[in-house]
C-alpha cells in the first residue's frame, strides 16, 4: 500500500517565520503535489512536480516555493509565513509518465494543519 | 477549482436511501475523473474513478456515470449507510488535477 508521510500533523508558527513542510512517499512515484484545503474551497493546488528538480506552479503558488532534491521527498516552503496561510496542507503522490502527470490516482498524506499567529 | 463545479455542497439522506452528487467540468480534453471520500480528520481516499472512454462504472454500492457531451459526471451511492457520512470530492485532470469544492454527505440512521 502506498504510504505518503507528512512530517508534522500540527504546526504553529509566527508571522514572518520561514516554514518547511516535508513530505515523503515510499512508492517510487514520479509525481508529487502540494494542496491546501480550506472549508468551502475544496483542494487547491499550490505546486506539483513530475520529476526530481522539476516543479510546476499550481493555482495558488504565491507565497510558497517547493524543493524536490530526491524522488521520494517534496518540500513546501513558506518563505515568510502570513496569517492567511493558516490552513490544512495535503501532500499527494501518483504514478506518472515524465512530463505528463495525468490519469493516475492521487495518494494523500494525513495532512499538516498549520496555524500562523 | 474553477474548472470543476460540484453540487450540492451538503446532502442529508436517510439510511437506505440513495445519494447523488454531480460535477461539471469545462475542458473537453479532460480524460480522467476520480472521486475521493474524506472522513473527518482523515486523508482523502479514492473510492472510484472513470476514464473518458467509459460511460459508467460500478463498484458494489457506488457507481459513477460520465456524460462527455454535457461535460458532467456523477457519483451514485445506493443503500446508504451511516459510515458513508463524509465529504466527497470530484476531480478531473487537464494538465493538473482540479477538485470540486466538496459535498458533505450526512446519512441519518
Amino acid at each position: 500500500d502506498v504510504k505518503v508521510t507528512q512530517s508534522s500533523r500540527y504546526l504553529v508558527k509566527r508571522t514572518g517565520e520561514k516554514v518547511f513542510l516535508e513530505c515523503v512517499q515510499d512508492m517510487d512515484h514520479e509525481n508529487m503535489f502540494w494542496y491546501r484545503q480550506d472549508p468551502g474551497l475544496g483542494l487547491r493546488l499550490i505546486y506539483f512536480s513530475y520529476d526530481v528538480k522539476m516543479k510546476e506552479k499550481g493555482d495558488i503558488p504565491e507565497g510558497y516555493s517547493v524543493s524536490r532534491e530526491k524522488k521520494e521527498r517534496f518540500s513546501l516552503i513558506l518563505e515568510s509565513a502570513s496569517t492567511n496561510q493558516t490552513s490544512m496542507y495535503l501532500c499527494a503522490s501518483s504514478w506518472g509518465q515524465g512530463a505528463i502527470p495525468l490519469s493516475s490516482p492521487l495518494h494523500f498524506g494525513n495532512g499538516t494543519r498549520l496555524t500562523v499567529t | 477549482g474553477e474548472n470543476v463545479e460540484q453540487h450540492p455542497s451538503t446532502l442529508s439522506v436517510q439510511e437506505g436511501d440513495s445519494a447523488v452528487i454531480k460535477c461539471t467540468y469545462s475542458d473537453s480534453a479532460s480524460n480522467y475523473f476520480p472521486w475521493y471520500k474524506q472522513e473527518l480528520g482523515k486523508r482523502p481516499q479514492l473510492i472510484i474513478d472513470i476514464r473518458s472512454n467509459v460511460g459508467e462504472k460500478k463498484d458494489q454500492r457506488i457507481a459513477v456515470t460520465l456524460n462527455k457531451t454535457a461535460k458532467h459526471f456523477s457519483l451514485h451511492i445506493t443503500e446508504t449507510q451511516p459510515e458513508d457520512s463524509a465529504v466527497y470530492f470530484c476531480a478531473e485532470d487537464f494538465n493538473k488535477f482540479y477538485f470540486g469544492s466538496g459535498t458533505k454527505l450526512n446519512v441519518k440512521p
Side-chain angles (χ1 to χ4, degrees), chain A residues 92-109:
Chain A
S93 72
S94 71
W95 176 82
Q97 301 175 47
I100 309 176
L102 305 177
S103 302
S104 60
L106 295 180
H107 299 266
F108 286 91

Side-chain angles (χ1 to χ4, degrees), chain A residues 74-91:
Chain A
F74 192 37
S75 303
L76 180 69
I77 304 157
L78 286 66
E79 296 290 342
S80 177
S82 63
T83 53
N84 62 12
Q85 292 178 310
T86 291
S87 186
M88 170 67 82
Y89 290 88
L90 288 165
C91 175

Side-chain angles (χ1 to χ4, degrees), chain B residues 16-88:
Chain B
D17 288 350
S18 295
V20 180
I21 303 169
K22 297 181 179 179
C23 288
T24 59
Y25 62 99
S26 57
D27 202 304
S28 56
S30 299
N31 59 15
Y32 176 62
F33 306 91
W35 285 90
Y36 289 83
K37 175 184 180 182
Q38 186 177 28
E39 297 177 7
L40 190 63
K42 296 189 177 179
R43 70 185 79 189
Q45 292 197 301
L46 180 76
I47 55 171
I48 196 166
D49 56 11
I50 193 168
R51 299 186 186 273
S52 58
N53 58 349
V54 175
E56 183 174 359
K57 185 177 177 181
K58 192 172 182 180
D59 182 6
Q60 299 183 343
R61 296 187 296 108
I62 295 172
V64 56
T65 58
L66 172 64
N67 184 326
K68 287 182 63 180
T69 303
K71 295 182 187 172
H72 66 71
F73 56 111
S74 300
L75 178 71
H76 305 254
I77 306 174
T78 58
E79 301 171 27
T80 54
Q81 300 166 5
E83 51 265 39
D84 294 329
S85 296
V87 178
Y88 292 81

Side-chain angles (χ1 to χ4, degrees), chain A residues 2 4 9 33 35 37 40-43 45 48 57-59 90 101-110, chain B residues 1 31-32 34 36 38 41-46 49 51 87 89 93-102:
Chain A
V2 178
V4 180
R9 191 81 169 103
F33 306 79
Y35 288 88
Q37 183 175 19
L41 297 177
L43 282 73
L45 182 62
F48 67 101
K57 292 181 180 179
D59 298 320
L90 288 165
L102 305 177
S103 302
S104 60
L106 295 180
H107 299 266
F108 286 91
N110 279 327
Chain B
N31 59 15
Y32 176 62
Y36 289 83
Q38 186 177 28
K42 296 189 177 179
R43 70 185 79 189
Q45 292 197 301
L46 180 76
D49 56 11
R51 299 186 186 273
V87 178
F89 292 98
D93 74 335
F94 178 65
N95 290 332
K96 48 198 177 188
F97 274 97
Y98 289 102
F99 281 83
S101 54

Side-chain angles (χ1 to χ4, degrees), chain A residues 17-72:
Chain A
E17 277 193 82
K18 190 168 185 176
V19 182
F20 293 86
L21 303 184
E22 306 288 347
C23 176
V24 177
Q25 51 93 4
D26 66 358
M27 280 302 292
D28 203 34
H29 282 170
E30 288 81 3
N31 308 318
M32 297 190 75
F33 306 79
W34 275 106
Y35 288 88
R36 65 176 282 175
Q37 183 175 19
D38 301 287
L41 297 177
L43 282 73
R44 294 181 291 165
L45 182 62
I46 305 171
Y47 269 97
F48 67 101
S49 167
Y50 55 83
D51 202 353
V52 176
K53 296 192 187 294
M54 303 301 292
K55 61 183 180 183
E56 294 283 345
K57 292 181 180 179
D59 298 320
I60 50 166
E62 297 78 20
Y64 303 95
S65 63
V66 290
S67 172
R68 193 163 180 204
E69 296 297 318
K70 294 184 178 181
K71 190 175 185 180
E72 67 270 19

